[in-house]
Amino acid sequence: MERIDKLLVQGGAGSRRDVQKIIRDGRVQINGEICKKPETKADENSDVITVDGQAVNCEKYIYIMMNKPAGVVSATVDNRDKTVIDILPREMKRSGLFPAGRLDKDTEGLLIITNDGVFAHRMLSPKKHVDKTYVAELDKPITEETVKRFKDGIIFADGTKCLPAKLEIGESVDNKIGIVTICEGKFHQVKKMFEACGIKVVHLKRISIGQLSLGSNLPIGSCKLMTNLDKKSVFIGNIH
Ligand code: URA
């Protein structure tokens, strides 16, 4: 149990001062009962807390899946471009959020945004080998030789070695779509892996992290809160 004003700050409803006013104005309800005292205690996991009738998630940590659009950067602040934090819906905004991992500015797809550093560290740790799967549209067809090179582990021109990766040829008449699964996060990794094979990536989209898939009902640019099952599925079914 925690004070309602503290929980509402945690839930992104405003500063301590703002939320105390909101509470005194009678705009807050706990389980359907108006609460006018900032010192009232509530449980962020089991109580339904609303402001003006809108539920506020007051849990300490939140986990958001975003279908990142091209043109925004995977950062918390940037003085030139819009960031993935800038485009979060107002009700999900709160302090301390950051993208767990990076997608290039021109890459679309699944990105997790959280304020839980332990979760992000676990997900990004090279030792955990969490799989990331991408759909890559290419300027040239994939051959069986390309598939084999990915499987053996690509070596970049500077000598950097990649772990073995899975490359499947996606459904298309010209074999110019690759479905790539990697378990590391080197800078521009997928683009550089294809580049090492003389192929240019013209469009890249991440479709899953571990067993967590983007699915088809999260339109580009939109977000949803992850369930506990979503969180667990990040860590299951990895290839290495
Ligand atoms: N590999 C890339 O080249 N770019 C990304 O955004 C992610 C993986």
Side-chain angles (χ1 to χ4, degrees), residues 145-165:
E145 170 62 18
T146 327
V147 174
K148 184 170 180 306
R149 286 191 59 191
F150 272 58
K151 191 169 168 217
D152 292 343
I154 297 276
I155 303 174
F156 296 153
D158 67 0
T160 307
K161 287 190 180 130
C162 300
L163 286 170

PDB file of all heavy atoms in Angstrom, residues 145-165:
ATOM      1  N   GLU A 145      23.725 -19.809 -51.096  1.00  0.00           N
ATOM      2  CA  GLU A 145      25.054 -19.423 -50.582  1.00  0.00           C
ATOM      3  C   GLU A 145      24.913 -18.359 -49.476  1.00  0.00           C
ATOM      4  O   GLU A 145      25.596 -18.423 -48.449  1.00  0.00           O
ATOM      5  CB  GLU A 145      25.911 -18.909 -51.772  1.00  0.00           C
ATOM      6  CG  GLU A 145      27.234 -18.248 -51.424  1.00  0.00           C
ATOM      7  CD  GLU A 145      28.230 -19.174 -50.718  1.00  0.00           C
ATOM      8  OE1 GLU A 145      28.054 -20.401 -50.792  1.00  0.00           O
ATOM      9  OE2 GLU A 145      29.154 -18.630 -50.060  1.00  0.00           O
ATOM     10  N   THR A 146      23.991 -17.390 -49.690  1.00  0.00           N
ATOM     11  CA  THR A 146      23.765 -16.354 -48.650  1.00  0.00           C
ATOM     12  C   THR A 146      23.266 -17.025 -47.365  1.00  0.00           C
ATOM     13  O   THR A 146      23.740 -16.714 -46.264  1.00  0.00           O
ATOM     14  CB  THR A 146      22.704 -15.313 -49.106  1.00  0.00           C
ATOM     15  OG1 THR A 146      22.759 -15.119 -50.507  1.00  0.00           O
ATOM     16  CG2 THR A 146      22.831 -14.019 -48.365  1.00  0.00           C
ATOM     17  N   VAL A 147      22.321 -17.951 -47.523  1.00  0.00           N
ATOM     18  CA  VAL A 147      21.751 -18.638 -46.351  1.00  0.00           C
ATOM     19  C   VAL A 147      22.876 -19.347 -45.587  1.00  0.00           C
ATOM     20  O   VAL A 147      22.962 -19.277 -44.356  1.00  0.00           O
ATOM     21  CB  VAL A 147      20.655 -19.653 -46.789  1.00  0.00           C
ATOM     22  CG1 VAL A 147      20.151 -20.469 -45.608  1.00  0.00           C
ATOM     23  CG2 VAL A 147      19.502 -18.927 -47.479  1.00  0.00           C
ATOM     24  N   LYS A 148      23.776 -19.990 -46.350  1.00  0.00           N
ATOM     25  CA  LYS A 148      24.870 -20.742 -45.725  1.00  0.00           C
ATOM     26  C   LYS A 148      25.828 -19.794 -44.990  1.00  0.00           C
ATOM     27  O   LYS A 148      26.263 -20.082 -43.874  1.00  0.00           O
ATOM     28  CB  LYS A 148      25.620 -21.544 -46.790  1.00  0.00           C
ATOM     29  CG  LYS A 148      26.692 -22.422 -46.187  1.00  0.00           C
ATOM     30  CD  LYS A 148      27.283 -23.388 -47.184  1.00  0.00           C
ATOM     31  CE  LYS A 148      28.364 -24.252 -46.519  1.00  0.00           C
ATOM     32  NZ  LYS A 148      29.410 -23.491 -45.851  1.00  0.00           N
ATOM     33  N   ARG A 149      26.093 -18.647 -45.617  1.00  0.00           N
ATOM     34  CA  ARG A 149      27.021 -17.698 -44.976  1.00  0.00           C
ATOM     35  C   ARG A 149      26.446 -17.176 -43.658  1.00  0.00           C
ATOM     36  O   ARG A 149      27.165 -17.010 -42.680  1.00  0.00           O
ATOM     37  CB  ARG A 149      27.349 -16.539 -45.930  1.00  0.00           C
ATOM     38  CG  ARG A 149      28.303 -17.008 -47.034  1.00  0.00           C
ATOM     39  CD  ARG A 149      28.852 -15.868 -47.828  1.00  0.00           C
ATOM     40  NE  ARG A 149      29.594 -14.906 -47.021  1.00  0.00           N
ATOM     41  CZ  ARG A 149      29.985 -13.723 -47.474  1.00  0.00           C
ATOM     42  NH1 ARG A 149      29.695 -13.361 -48.717  1.00  0.00           N
ATOM     43  NH2 ARG A 149      30.653 -12.892 -46.702  1.00  0.00           N
ATOM     44  N   PHE A 150      25.143 -16.928 -43.645  1.00  0.00           N
ATOM     45  CA  PHE A 150      24.508 -16.482 -42.392  1.00  0.00           C
ATOM     46  C   PHE A 150      24.639 -17.593 -41.341  1.00  0.00           C
ATOM     47  O   PHE A 150      24.921 -17.335 -40.176  1.00  0.00           O
ATOM     48  CB  PHE A 150      23.030 -16.136 -42.622  1.00  0.00           C
ATOM     49  CG  PHE A 150      22.790 -14.703 -43.044  1.00  0.00           C
ATOM     50  CD1 PHE A 150      23.380 -14.187 -44.185  1.00  0.00           C
ATOM     51  CD2 PHE A 150      21.969 -13.867 -42.295  1.00  0.00           C
ATOM     52  CE1 PHE A 150      23.161 -12.862 -44.586  1.00  0.00           C
ATOM     53  CE2 PHE A 150      21.742 -12.541 -42.678  1.00  0.00           C
ATOM     54  CZ  PHE A 150      22.342 -12.048 -43.823  1.00  0.00           C
ATOM     55  N   LYS A 151      24.419 -18.835 -41.780  1.00  0.00           N
ATOM     56  CA  LYS A 151      24.439 -19.982 -40.859  1.00  0.00           C
ATOM     57  C   LYS A 151      25.847 -20.200 -40.286  1.00  0.00           C
ATOM     58  O   LYS A 151      26.012 -20.530 -39.105  1.00  0.00           O
ATOM     59  CB  LYS A 151      23.996 -21.229 -41.626  1.00  0.00           C
ATOM     60  CG  LYS A 151      23.727 -22.414 -40.761  1.00  0.00           C
ATOM     61  CD  LYS A 151      23.041 -23.514 -41.554  1.00  0.00           C
ATOM     62  CE  LYS A 151      23.053 -24.778 -40.723  1.00  0.00           C
ATOM     63  NZ  LYS A 151      23.259 -25.958 -41.542  1.00  0.00           N
ATOM     64  N   ASP A 152      26.857 -19.978 -41.112  1.00  0.00           N
ATOM     65  CA  ASP A 152      28.238 -20.181 -40.669  1.00  0.00           C
ATOM     66  C   ASP A 152      28.733 -19.030 -39.790  1.00  0.00           C
ATOM     67  O   ASP A 152      29.718 -19.187 -39.065  1.00  0.00           O
ATOM     68  CB  ASP A 152      29.180 -20.297 -41.883  1.00  0.00           C
ATOM     69  CG  ASP A 152      28.919 -21.572 -42.671  1.00  0.00           C
ATOM     70  OD1 ASP A 152      28.268 -22.487 -42.106  1.00  0.00           O
ATOM     71  OD2 ASP A 152      29.335 -21.645 -43.844  1.00  0.00           O
ATOM     72  N   GLY A 153      28.074 -17.884 -39.881  1.00  0.00           N
ATOM     73  CA  GLY A 153      28.516 -16.700 -39.118  1.00  0.00           C
ATOM     74  C   GLY A 153      29.224 -15.735 -40.051  1.00  0.00           C
ATOM     75  O   GLY A 153      30.323 -16.012 -40.528  1.00  0.00           O
ATOM     76  N   ILE A 154      28.566 -14.616 -40.283  1.00  0.00           N
ATOM     77  CA  ILE A 154      29.131 -13.604 -41.198  1.00  0.00           C
ATOM     78  C   ILE A 154      30.338 -12.925 -40.548  1.00  0.00           C
ATOM     79  O   ILE A 154      30.342 -12.684 -39.338  1.00  0.00           O
ATOM     80  CB  ILE A 154      28.048 -12.526 -41.512  1.00  0.00           C
ATOM     81  CG1 ILE A 154      26.850 -13.141 -42.249  1.00  0.00           C
ATOM     82  CG2 ILE A 154      28.620 -11.310 -42.217  1.00  0.00           C
ATOM     83  CD1 ILE A 154      26.987 -13.267 -43.738  1.00  0.00           C
ATOM     84  N   ILE A 155      31.329 -12.618 -41.359  1.00  0.00           N
ATOM     85  CA  ILE A 155      32.469 -11.817 -40.855  1.00  0.00           C
ATOM     86  C   ILE A 155      32.463 -10.492 -41.616  1.00  0.00           C
ATOM     87  O   ILE A 155      32.463 -10.481 -42.860  1.00  0.00           O
ATOM     88  CB  ILE A 155      33.800 -12.565 -41.059  1.00  0.00           C
ATOM     89  CG1 ILE A 155      33.735 -13.937 -40.357  1.00  0.00           C
ATOM     90  CG2 ILE A 155      34.971 -11.737 -40.513  1.00  0.00           C
ATOM     91  CD1 ILE A 155      34.926 -14.841 -40.594  1.00  0.00           C
ATOM     92  N   PHE A 156      32.399  -9.387 -40.875  1.00  0.00           N
ATOM     93  CA  PHE A 156      32.398  -8.063 -41.513  1.00  0.00           C
ATOM     94  C   PHE A 156      33.797  -7.756 -42.067  1.00  0.00           C
ATOM     95  O   PHE A 156      34.782  -8.366 -41.652  1.00  0.00           O
ATOM     96  CB  PHE A 156      32.009  -6.957 -40.523  1.00  0.00           C
ATOM     97  CG  PHE A 156      30.595  -7.058 -39.981  1.00  0.00           C
ATOM     98  CD1 PHE A 156      30.280  -6.524 -38.738  1.00  0.00           C
ATOM     99  CD2 PHE A 156      29.576  -7.658 -40.720  1.00  0.00           C
ATOM    100  CE1 PHE A 156      28.990  -6.598 -38.230  1.00  0.00           C
ATOM    101  CE2 PHE A 156      28.278  -7.733 -40.215  1.00  0.00           C
ATOM    102  CZ  PHE A 156      27.992  -7.210 -38.968  1.00  0.00           C
ATOM    103  N   ALA A 157      33.856  -6.729 -42.923  1.00  0.00           N
ATOM    104  CA  ALA A 157      35.130  -6.350 -43.557  1.00  0.00           C
ATOM    105  C   ALA A 157      36.201  -6.003 -42.511  1.00  0.00           C
ATOM    106  O   ALA A 157      37.384  -6.251 -42.720  1.00  0.00           O
ATOM    107  CB  ALA A 157      34.893  -5.168 -44.488  1.00  0.00           C
ATOM    108  N   ASP A 158      35.776  -5.462 -41.346  1.00  0.00           N
ATOM    109  CA  ASP A 158      36.767  -5.094 -40.319  1.00  0.00           C
ATOM    110  C   ASP A 158      37.165  -6.287 -39.444  1.00  0.00           C
ATOM    111  O   ASP A 158      37.853  -6.126 -38.437  1.00  0.00           O
ATOM    112  CB  ASP A 158      36.222  -3.960 -39.444  1.00  0.00           C
ATOM    113  CG  ASP A 158      35.024  -4.395 -38.595  1.00  0.00           C
ATOM    114  OD1 ASP A 158      34.612  -5.573 -38.669  1.00  0.00           O
ATOM    115  OD2 ASP A 158      34.504  -3.548 -37.842  1.00  0.00           O
ATOM    116  N   GLY A 159      36.689  -7.470 -39.798  1.00  0.00           N
ATOM    117  CA  GLY A 159      37.080  -8.678 -39.059  1.00  0.00           C
ATOM    118  C   GLY A 159      36.103  -9.091 -37.963  1.00  0.00           C
ATOM    119  O   GLY A 159      36.222 -10.172 -37.388  1.00  0.00           O
ATOM    120  N   THR A 160      35.110  -8.232 -37.669  1.00  0.00           N
ATOM    121  CA  THR A 160      34.135  -8.569 -36.623  1.00  0.00           C
ATOM    122  C   THR A 160      33.352  -9.821 -37.022  1.00  0.00           C
ATOM    123  O   THR A 160      32.826  -9.896 -38.133  1.00  0.00           O
ATOM    124  CB  THR A 160      33.134  -7.404 -36.428  1.00  0.00           C
ATOM    125  OG1 THR A 160      33.870  -6.209 -36.213  1.00  0.00           O
ATOM    126  CG2 THR A 160      32.182  -7.652 -35.275  1.00  0.00           C
ATOM    127  N   LYS A 161      33.290 -10.767 -36.079  1.00  0.00           N
ATOM    128  CA  LYS A 161      32.576 -12.022 -36.374  1.00  0.00           C
ATOM    129  C   LYS A 161      31.188 -12.008 -35.760  1.00  0.00           C
ATOM    130  O   LYS A 161      31.031 -11.663 -34.586  1.00  0.00           O
ATOM    131  CB  LYS A 161      33.337 -13.207 -35.772  1.00  0.00           C
ATOM    132  CG  LYS A 161      34.587 -13.537 -36.521  1.00  0.00           C
ATOM    133  CD  LYS A 161      35.166 -14.865 -36.030  1.00  0.00           C
ATOM    134  CE  LYS A 161      36.418 -15.155 -36.817  1.00  0.00           C
ATOM    135  NZ  LYS A 161      37.556 -15.503 -36.039  1.00  0.00           N
ATOM    136  N   CYS A 162      30.223 -12.414 -36.538  1.00  0.00           N
ATOM    137  CA  CYS A 162      28.855 -12.541 -36.018  1.00  0.00           C
ATOM    138  C   CYS A 162      28.597 -13.992 -35.655  1.00  0.00           C
ATOM    139  O   CYS A 162      29.159 -14.898 -36.279  1.00  0.00           O
ATOM    140  CB  CYS A 162      27.822 -12.130 -37.068  1.00  0.00           C
ATOM    141  SG  CYS A 162      27.985 -10.440 -37.629  1.00  0.00           S
ATOM    142  N   LEU A 163      27.728 -14.183 -34.676  1.00  0.00           N
ATOM    143  CA  LEU A 163      27.314 -15.544 -34.337  1.00  0.00           C
ATOM    144  C   LEU A 163      26.464 -16.097 -35.485  1.00  0.00           C
ATOM    145  O   LEU A 163      25.882 -15.318 -36.256  1.00  0.00           O
ATOM    146  CB  LEU A 163      26.475 -15.526 -33.053  1.00  0.00           C
ATOM    147  CG  LEU A 163      27.253 -15.307 -31.758  1.00  0.00           C
ATOM    148  CD1 LEU A 163      26.288 -15.067 -30.606  1.00  0.00           C
ATOM    149  CD2 LEU A 163      28.154 -16.511 -31.453  1.00  0.00           C
ATOM    150  N   PRO A 164      26.383 -17.420 -35.604  1.00  0.00           N
ATOM    151  CA  PRO A 164      25.527 -17.996 -36.635  1.00  0.00           C
ATOM    152  C   PRO A 164      24.106 -17.431 -36.542  1.00  0.00           C
ATOM    153  O   PRO A 164      23.583 -17.225 -35.446  1.00  0.00           O
ATOM    154  CB  PRO A 164      25.532 -19.491 -36.287  1.00  0.00           C
ATOM    155  CG  PRO A 164      26.827 -19.698 -35.593  1.00  0.00           C
ATOM    156  CD  PRO A 164      27.078 -18.433 -34.817  1.00  0.00           C
ATOM    157  N   ALA A 165      23.527 -17.148 -37.685  1.00  0.00           N
ATOM    158  CA  ALA A 165      22.185 -16.565 -37.729  1.00  0.00           C
ATOM    159  C   ALA A 165      21.324 -17.375 -38.692  1.00  0.00           C
ATOM    160  O   ALA A 165      21.838 -18.067 -39.574  1.00  0.00           O
ATOM    161  CB  ALA A 165      22.265 -15.116 -38.197  1.00  0.00           C
TER     162      ALA A 165
END
